[in-house]
Amino acid sequence: MSWRKDAVSKNVPKVDLQAYNVLVAGGFKAGKTRLWKEVMELFYPNDPDAGLLLAFEDGYTSWELESIIDMHNRDWKFFKEVVVKNLVAEAAEKRIAKVLGIDTIDRMWAMAEEYIIDTYSKKYAKKFASLQDITESVKELNGHTLTKQEVWQQIDILKKSGYGFFWLCWTKEKETTTIDDVKFQSIELSLSKSGRDIFESQAHLIVTLFNEVVVIDKEGNELEENKKTKGGKDVASKFHKSEVMMYFRPSNYISIGGGRFTDLPDKVDYSAKNFLEVFENAVKGQLKNTSATVEELKIAQEQDRDVQARVAVEQVEQVQMSSDELKKSIAESMQKFDYNQRKELIGPKFMELLGDLDYRKSEDVSKLSETLKYIEQLQV
């Protein structure tokens, strides 16, 4: 059998929002959550549950939303053990949500950081103050890398299960210096460098919402330079108007934008309708040599996505079974030791490797395997 038959295949660009990671960046009250809501309503008009918002912040309170999970009153453990686990199970049985809105990834990242700090504080019986504290205190660990791995592991599980993403995030104004030592102000993501590394690199489409101000005179004419007094002194106009624009490509002051599409405008007026027009034109621009229609591709790709979801959930279940088997073996091995031996020899190892005396709480297969190996060596 030729290796090419199994290894080489043709890729047809995906046509559904469900297949993509979309990153929507903006400042305060820029319209991030509103854009999410209205895009979901337009793209899935007959399926109100297609868009599920994971609200890590409470900016959704003024919006009427059909499907939302209040995450800002929960913690990371709830996210990974309840939300992720059950979304994967739904994807394998009967998918309900199609696109997950993360509002915002800034707060999501902060929650994961808190989880890492708490987990490793318990593991090493020391109260770490920050991720940097972990990095500086434990030679073989890097707190930022641990957070990066933890967040992306959950995102990757959901992505492999067939979910699309709308990552909503904050922006900030930053002074940037060019290689020629010239300084300028730019709009960038507020997220930490570790967060930017994965979310910007893994986004298929990035759009920045920016409130542009246009200065006008009293007749409504746009001014390109300041008004002047008779003496030639610049004076400010009393009139201006502002409007939110969606930037799909970087500009001279907005550094966030772009994507894996060739047909993208520089900027368009803010609206869900305009966003979807940009998305649909971008997708069609990639379909150069495909005879199937967008609707035909959507149906076929949905079927493929369901098959992949079933494979993904089987892999998750396999890991779960492995951890259960390891716990069972640990329990059986523990029976060969008396109370004092468990307390003095095994207990400290539980804290070192698993961060808790109750090994049954851990789902880390590699750490459970290491723990079992240690206990078995004690028996020799």
Side-chain angles (χ1 to χ4, degrees), residues 303-321:
Q303 292 172 345
D304 289 341
R305 191 177 296 113
D306 288 340
V307 171
Q308 293 171 5
R310 285 191 287 272
V311 173
V313 77
E314 287 173 3
Q315 292 173 342
V316 171
E317 288 174 348
Q318 187 176 6
V319 170
Q320 181 65 43
M321 287 173 60

Side-chain angles (χ1 to χ4, degrees), residues 334-348 374 378:
M334 290 268 288
Q335 293 176 1
K336 301 174 183 178
F337 297 88
D338 61 30
Y339 173 79
N340 288 330
Q341 290 174 318
R342 295 179 191 177
K343 180 179 179 181
E344 296 173 8
L345 296 175
I346 301 175
Y374 169 78
L378 291 177

Side-chain angles (χ1 to χ4, degrees), residues 25-160:
F28 294 103
K29 308 298 184 294
K32 299 183 293 294
T33 308
R34 175 188 169 189
L35 185 65
W36 150 264
K37 165 186 162 60
E38 295 180 352
V39 166
M40 290 302 105
E41 290 172 346
L42 282 177
F43 198 82
Y44 301 107
N46 302 314
D47 190 357
D49 293 320
L52 173 62
L53 187 69
L54 305 182
F56 289 83
E57 298 185 19
D58 62 355
Y60 64 90
T61 50
S62 63
W63 296 107
E64 189 176 72
L65 299 166
E66 294 294 332
S67 296
I68 183 171
I69 296 178
D70 169 13
M71 283 301 307
H72 69 280
N73 289 316
R74 301 308 198 338
D75 59 16
W76 189 258
K77 190 174 181 181
F78 176 84
F79 172 64
K80 65 186 293 186
E81 295 182 3
V82 177
V83 177
V84 173
K85 181 179 178 181
N86 284 286
L87 282 173
V88 171
E90 283 184 354
E93 296 171 11
K94 184 180 179 181
R95 182 185 305 281
I96 299 174
K98 295 183 178 180
V99 181
L100 306 177
I102 307 295
D103 191 5
T104 61
I105 56 174
D106 305 75
R107 180 54 197 142
M108 178 192 193
W109 191 270
M111 187 181 287
E113 287 181 343
E114 293 165 6
Y115 172 81
I116 292 296
I117 292 170
D118 183 60
T119 298
Y120 284 86
S121 292
K122 290 177 180 177
K123 179 174 181 177
Y124 289 93
K126 175 186 176 181
K127 181 60 179 175
F128 293 113
S130 64
L131 297 178
Q132 190 61 32
D133 191 11
I134 295 175
T135 304
E136 294 173 355
S137 302
V138 186
K139 186 178 179 180
E140 67 274 16
L141 296 180
N142 183 298
H144 302 284
T145 300
L146 289 169
T147 304
K148 193 174 179 178
Q149 292 171 340
E150 177 64 33
V151 172
W152 194 251
Q153 181 182 39
Q154 305 311 315
I155 294 290
D156 193 47
I157 288 172
L158 291 169
K159 193 67 186 174
K160 287 177 178 176

Side-chain angles (χ1 to χ4, degrees), residues 67 221 234 285 357 360:
S67 296
N221 301 310
D234 285 348
L357 288 173
R360 294 166 297 185

